[in-house]
Amino acid sequence: MYSSGGACVIMIINGGRTLDLLFKTICDHEATCHVQSLTGIEWFLVFTCVAILVAQLPNLNSMVGVSLIGAITAIGYCTLILVLSITKGRPIDISYGQFDVAKSNMEKISDILNALGIIALAFRGHNLILEIQVSIYNILI
């Protein structure tokens, strides 16, 4: 229960933040839409409602169109990045070194903890997929 509950909370938070970011990107920070963005909690509720609606599908094969659109978008996006990076080349007077001259020790520690949290989240998502696969395998056997 703790594992599944924690994974659900993390996915709701990430999904709500992503919806908020998508809205702000589309509306260009309220310059084009003239609509005020929802609060963080409201975005979490929107994502939760969408997740509940998706959960009503009979199986994941019903979402094959969404997966196809996601795959095509990912391939197009990666191709665009590759082509633009080859054709444009490296910008002049740009340094790719670390810029931590003005950071305090607390900011550095915060960055390290944030990086560890992102890594833990990635492993948690991977483990969740493995748990789902094992559960389906056990059901089929």
Side-chain angles (χ1 to χ4, degrees), residues 3-4 7 31 51 54 66 81 87 89 93 97 101 106 112 118 138-140:
S3 177
S4 297
V54 170
V66 176
I81 290 173
T87 58
D93 297 332
V101 175
M106 192 61 200
I112 291 170
I118 291 170
N138 288 335
I139 291 171
L140 293 176

Side-chain angles (χ1 to χ4, degrees), residues 7-71:
C8 287
V9 169
I10 287 173
M11 289 184 189
I12 288 171
I13 290 171
N14 284 336
R17 287 186 181 161
T18 303
L19 287 176
D20 185 26
L21 182 63
L22 178 66
F23 177 81
K24 288 179 180 176
T25 302
I26 291 173
C27 287
D28 195 24
H29 299 284
E30 300 173 5
T32 57
C33 291
H34 305 292
V35 176
Q36 187 176 5
S37 178
L38 300 174
T39 65
I41 294 173
E42 291 169 340
W43 281 117
F44 299 155
L45 289 173
V46 168
F47 181 80
T48 303
C49 292
V50 170
I52 290 171
L53 289 175
V54 170
Q56 303 307 311
L57 295 173
N59 56 28
L60 292 179
N61 291 331
S62 303
M63 295 181 53
V64 71
V66 176
S67 296
L68 180 63
I69 291 170

